[in-house]
Amino acid sequence: MPFELIKPGTKFEFMNKRKIFAVVSGAAILAGAVALIVLGLNLGIDFKGGTKMVIAFSGSEAIERDVIRTAVAEKFQALRPGEDVPQVEVQDFYSGGTETDIVRFMVYTEIVTLLSEERKAAIVTGLQEKFGDETVVNPPAEGGDQFFITFPDEAGIDERIAELEALFNAQGVERVRVESDKVRDLNLEYYKEVNLEKEEAESAESLLEEIEAEDAFNARIAAFRKSKKDVSFTVKVEETKVKMEEAIRAVPDLSARFLAVESSTSISASVGADMLNSGLLAVVYACIGILLYIALRFDFKYGPGAVAALVHDAFIVVGVFAITQIPFSLPIVAAVLTIIGYSVNDTIVVFDRIRENSEKLKGLAFDRIINTSINETLSRTVLTSLTTLFVVVCIFVLGGGLIKDFAFALMIGIVVGTYSSVFVASPILLAIDGMTTKKGKVGA
């Protein structure tokens, strides 16, 4: 006999209490709406812009993420007196390599750049004073860190790089990476070829050949820079990276094992806004697709209830994030889409039983058919939700950073999704049926 958490033949009354739960849902939605209007969402770095860096430590012993988070937040806060403590998230990072004696973390911070508009203007003025007014300087836009410079005349690549580094250092910029456009184009061509060869490489011998080829290419680039001239250069200011290194080295336990900031990428505010719009559109498109699916599989009257339940679930999850002010990031959008899929699965199980019982229990009032169908699927619904919730709670307790936030969203979504399948989707189905047929009259 299969395990039944709720014994067959139960006759819990759901439909006659639908008005009570309509008030409960309305109150939850209203609370979320007020929080969204008053507090707004605490947008994560993915949506409001910021910097992502991969930092590496020697050894295989664990490092507390909170130690890194606190060190970085305090460092950047000290650099921006009078402003709020910057948002910093730390996540475990796996590079896909085979190293067992290196620990890596991905650090997210809302700091895009430490260059003020005044410093950018001073750098542009300094460049034009040194190299002439005909020098075209495109300063970073939207808080970026890259200057694009075009000179009126060609100059030796190595000589020009040295001049640019010296000028930026004189402006108080500790570290820059200067690249000639011609060298960049050579690099792009080379790495395209390398990626194609790596896909075809199968033996250790072929991998050794690749390493030798890369060494030869680096020597070729060095010779190219010494002998060639260029007019266009890109200067990447790495001050954020420098301050990250200083923050890590300021903590003795971290400094002893710190290796390097291996990579750094920035996301501008406009790109973040586009990502937020895309995430919201994905939720809307998912709801539209599910409405069409329900209408084709069952009947059109089933569709609005299912979609209302999905919107109800997504809105409550978003409302909880507005109330708690937990950062709302791309993983949370992924969690909302997961919740939509989970919730509609529960709803379809209930709707499928309602459709079956509509044939088997002809003559019975439609609200009684719905109530019977919910009771018949209740054990399956509760068991599925509890087992899924158990796994998600484990992730929430043991995980950290963005994984913890993702699990938190799923926890809320599983509970709300199970609730909405019974107390939102089914009552709306009953209401729509009552508007289209005489079956909607409540029976005794």
Side-chain angles (χ1 to χ4, degrees), residues 172-213:
V173 179
E174 294 182 47
R175 188 188 303 170
V176 294
R177 187 175 73 248
V178 186
E179 188 175 48
S180 153
D181 282 9
K182 288 182 179 179
V183 172
R184 183 192 61 208
D185 291 343
L186 273 179
N187 279 316
L188 287 174
E189 289 177 13
Y190 171 73
Y191 285 110
K192 282 180 184 177
E193 294 175 5
V194 167
N195 289 333
L196 289 173
E197 290 173 1
K198 280 184 178 179
E199 290 176 4
E200 299 172 358
E202 296 180 355
S203 65
E205 185 178 337
S206 61
L207 292 174
L208 181 60
E209 290 175 356
E210 287 177 19
I211 294 171
E212 292 174 350

Side-chain angles (χ1 to χ4, degrees), residues 18 301-302 354-355 357-370 429-443:
R18 63 187 182 277
K301 68 181 180 182
Y302 288 85
I354 293 171
R355 183 176 61 176
N357 286 338
S358 294
E359 296 296 323
K360 289 166 56 179
L361 305 175
K362 284 183 178 179
L364 197 64
F366 195 49
D367 75 304
R368 298 298 90 199
I369 293 174
I370 294 176
L429 170 60
L430 177 62
I432 292 175
D433 184 78
M435 290 187 289
T436 55
T437 71
K438 292 182 179 180
K439 292 181 182 178
K441 294 180 180 178
V442 176

Side-chain angles (χ1 to χ4, degrees), residues 119-157:
R119 289 184 70 192
K120 291 178 188 177
I123 290 170
V124 172
T125 301
L127 285 166
Q128 291 180 331
E129 285 178 354
K130 179 174 179 60
F131 299 107
D133 291 338
E134 294 181 1
T135 301
V136 178
V137 183
N138 293 318
E142 293 188 288
D145 272 336
Q146 289 194 113
F147 289 79
F148 300 94
I149 307 167
T150 304
F151 297 95
D153 301 309
E154 287 188 329
I157 293 175

Side-chain angles (χ1 to χ4, degrees), residues 338 342 345-346 380-395 407 410-411 413-415 418:
T338 304
Y342 182 88
N345 182 60
D346 256 354
R380 177 264 174 207
T381 298
V382 174
L383 275 174
T384 302
S385 298
L386 285 178
T387 51
T388 309
L389 187 61
F390 175 76
V391 175
V392 174
V393 168
C394 291
I395 296 173
L410 287 183
M411 286 167 53
I414 288 169
V415 174
T418 304

Side-chain angles (χ1 to χ4, degrees), residues 54-65 68 91-95 99-106 257-260 262:
V54 176
I55 58 176
F57 297 88
S58 62
S60 57
E61 298 82 6
I63 294 176
E64 288 292 330
R65 287 184 291 265
I68 300 173
Q91 191 71 37
D92 294 346
F93 181 81
Y94 175 61
S95 63
E99 303 104 330
T100 57
D101 58 346
I102 295 178
V103 178
R104 290 183 173 86
F105 295 92
M106 178 77 81
R257 294 176 55 186
F258 179 63
L259 295 176
E262 294 185 333

